[in-house]
Amino acid sequence: MLKPELKPTINQTFVLTPAEDDKSGAYDFGKILEQSRRLEHQGQIEKACDVRYQAFQRLVELLPEDTEIELDWEDDYTQSALHLINYSSIDLFLVGDYEMCAAMLELMLELDSEDHLEATTRLAYAYIALEEYELYDEIAGDINDRTADK
């Protein structure tokens, strides 16, 4: 199975570029999101969550462990990957896996420092659920700043 690659952009961000010959669709995050939505509409909620989580795990394998990178929000393929993390983190929050949810949201904020999907707010809820009040206090100001800007 061919995997996508991370390629640098001129904006000092990275885009995920799909493998040319990937017929399996295992890394087509847009199609995976569509598939999970179809499953939800068919009432197969658990399967939809599992599809998203498995795709998240494949995505993480693509990311370098020792280097922080920022993904380019403007790239559709890359944006789908960020949406995938977002929806999977919500799945985990709803089933009570607050620790994994928080880890996903922290990763999302590393990959998207502009927080296009407003992960900070959900991360605050995860920290409260984990009774990590010091971590909550660290990001509470970010939430207040965001609401003041609107």
Side-chain angles (χ1 to χ4, degrees):
M1 176 180 342
L2 297 173
K3 295 179 181 180
E5 295 181 75
L6 282 171
K7 300 225 174 167
T9 69
I10 59 171
N11 301 324
Q12 297 183 337
T13 60
F14 288 81
V15 293
L16 284 165
T17 57
E20 296 285 327
D21 298 334
D22 180 22
K23 295 189 182 9
S24 72
Y27 291 94
D28 190 333
F29 301 116
K31 285 185 180 176
I32 292 167
L33 288 172
E34 287 175 24
Q35 176 192 9
S36 69
R37 285 187 197 108
R38 277 193 307 276
L39 289 167
E40 285 177 357
H41 289 297
Q42 296 169 0
Q44 298 180 50
I45 306 301
E46 189 173 334
K47 186 168 183 171
C49 295
D50 190 49
V51 164
R52 286 189 289 263
Y53 184 70
Q54 287 178 18
F56 165 75
Q57 289 178 312
R58 288 190 298 276
L59 172 61
V60 169
E61 291 173 4
L62 300 173
L63 303 173
E65 290 182 29
D66 55 349
T67 307
E68 284 189 28
I69 63 166
E70 175 132 359
L71 295 180
D72 184 353
W73 175 257
E74 300 303 320
D75 179 73
D76 290 338
Y77 187 79
T78 306
Q79 192 178 113
S80 291
L82 290 167
H83 279 285
L84 180 76
I85 299 170
N86 184 51
Y87 295 135
S88 193
S89 72
I90 293 169
D91 295 340
L92 290 167
F93 186 89
L94 292 174
V95 297
D97 191 345
Y98 306 122
E99 203 165 315
M100 187 62 180
C101 170
M104 282 182 165
L105 292 169
E106 289 166 350
L107 172 64
M108 209 166 105
L109 288 169
E110 286 176 20
L111 298 174
D112 177 28
S113 65
E114 292 184 32
D115 196 11
H116 289 94
L117 298 173
E118 299 187 11
T120 304
T121 303
R122 283 184 306 289
L123 183 57
Y125 285 112
Y127 285 158
I128 290 170
L130 289 167
E131 298 180 5
E132 293 285 353
Y133 301 116
E134 289 178 18
L135 293 173
Y136 168 80
D137 289 341
E138 287 179 23
I139 65 169
D142 294 339
I143 296 169
N144 290 334
D145 292 345
R146 284 185 147 259
T147 56
D149 290 342
K150 290 184 178 183

